[in-house]
Amino acid sequence: MARSERLLALLQILRRHRRPVSGAALAGELGVSIRTLYRDIASLQAQGADIEGEPGVGYVLRPGFMLPPLMFSQGELEALTLGFRWVQKFADTPMTKAASDALAKISAVLPAELRDELENTALLVGPRKVIDSEVVGLAVLRAAIRRERKVRLSYEDGAGSLTERIVWPVALGYFEETRMLVAWCEWRQGYRHFRTDRMRSLALLDQRYPRRRTAMLKEWREADMGPRRRPAPDAAVPPANAISQP
């Protein structure tokens, strides 16, 4: 194992533990001598990693240390590039720009040989199949999700009927042919899935919804309607202690 890969592996091991880990345990997992481990820890500390501890006590990595992109392995860079290219192809304009900017920042700090690999990778993303256009800005939905705010939504179902709803956005799913908002609907009193290309208007409200989004997301997942199943639009998934109305 190259030294750069070993330092990366050491950081990953420390990230898995919230309590101090003995030097012997770290050295054993890495397959190096305790003396080499001490040198590696000193090298990481010199690069800014907030590793606390000492021989005989153990070591712990404090939160906040950002791993420099130049320490990514080649496989990790390929995975990042593929993910960025997928976002560039399937996401909305603000997310596409953000992905391009992030990829450019990573590329700028890479060694020349890795930069060439990043820019010339053979991992490609297929053509986008989205046909229907969206008339609402998904940035509003992402802001509502981050800030746990309610949204007023004008929605047209598959039969062309238009309804006005107040929803609590929980997650936004990106698929090849469409995008789907997961939200608690006040009108239906249950979780619903709204296709973004059927949204006719939306407005971010000042009112926060009364539950934490993380708890709601967990509840929705436990209802076995995660992204892997491609739920039907506006399909009911009643949460615990709630009754879904027709």
Side-chain angles (χ1 to χ4, degrees):
M1 180 185 299
R3 184 169 181 271
S4 60
E5 293 181 353
R6 190 174 71 243
L7 292 176
L8 174 61
L10 176 55
L11 280 173
Q12 298 293 76
I13 294 171
L14 288 170
R15 280 197 175 99
R16 294 202 307 263
H17 298 276
R18 296 186 177 181
R19 298 180 180 278
V21 187
S22 70
L26 292 171
E29 187 164 351
L30 289 170
V32 298
S33 67
I34 193 69
R35 186 174 180 179
T36 298
L37 175 76
Y38 293 153
R39 287 201 302 265
D40 288 348
I41 288 177
S43 296
L44 290 174
Q45 289 172 330
Q47 295 179 39
D50 189 5
I51 300 175
E52 296 183 359
E54 59 185 54
V57 176
Y59 297 90
V60 62
L61 176 65
R62 298 302 180 189
F65 178 67
M66 299 299 293
L67 183 64
L70 58 88
M71 293 185 67
F72 290 156
S73 69
Q74 185 172 354
E76 290 168 339
L77 286 172
E78 289 179 340
L80 286 171
T81 304
L82 185 61
F84 285 137
R85 288 181 174 178
W86 194 95
V87 171
Q88 289 172 332
K89 184 67 66 71
F90 291 99
D92 52 292
T93 302
M95 288 292 284
T96 295
K97 183 179 183 303
S100 298
D101 291 346
L103 190 59
K105 288 178 180 178
I106 291 177
S107 179
V109 297
L110 288 175
E113 64 275 11
L114 286 181
R115 187 182 305 118
D116 291 340
E117 290 287 341
L118 185 71
E119 295 174 353
N120 298 301
T121 180
L123 302 180
L124 306 175
V125 177
R128 179 176 176 175
K129 297 181 180 179
V130 176
I131 299 176
D132 296 324
S133 60
E134 293 165 334
V135 297
V136 299
L138 299 190
V140 175
L141 293 177
R142 288 195 294 270
I145 291 171
R146 289 194 302 269
R147 297 160 64 182
E148 298 182 341
R149 297 265 291 277
K150 294 184 179 183
V151 166
R152 178 179 289 109
L153 175 66
S154 178
Y155 189 75
E156 182 179 335
D157 64 18
S161 299
L162 195 66
T163 57
E164 299 288 332
R165 310 181 185 218
I166 303 295
V167 301
W168 308 353
V170 175
L172 188 60
Y174 288 78
F175 302 97
E176 287 189 12
E177 299 178 2
T178 189
R179 303 180 183 110
M180 197 85 71
L181 174 69
V182 179
W184 171 267
C185 178
E186 292 188 356
W187 177 39
R188 295 293 192 181
Q189 284 295 292
Y191 289 109
R192 292 296 190 275
H193 305 87
F194 302 94
R195 283 179 50 154
T196 57
D197 57 343
R198 292 180 181 173
M199 297 177 182
R200 296 298 166 249
S201 67
L202 58 86
L204 181 63
L205 304 180
D206 291 333
Q207 185 180 4
R208 291 174 60 96
Y209 44 80
R211 301 184 59 196
R212 297 310 304 267
R213 183 187 63 83
T214 52
M216 295 177 65
L217 183 61
K218 179 180 179 182
E219 184 177 73
W220 170 73
R221 284 173 170 164
E222 289 176 349
D224 197 27
M225 288 295 289
R228 64 187 181 278
R229 286 189 53 185
R230 280 292 302 274
D234 196 20
V237 187
N241 302 320
I243 300 176
S244 180
Q245 301 176 358

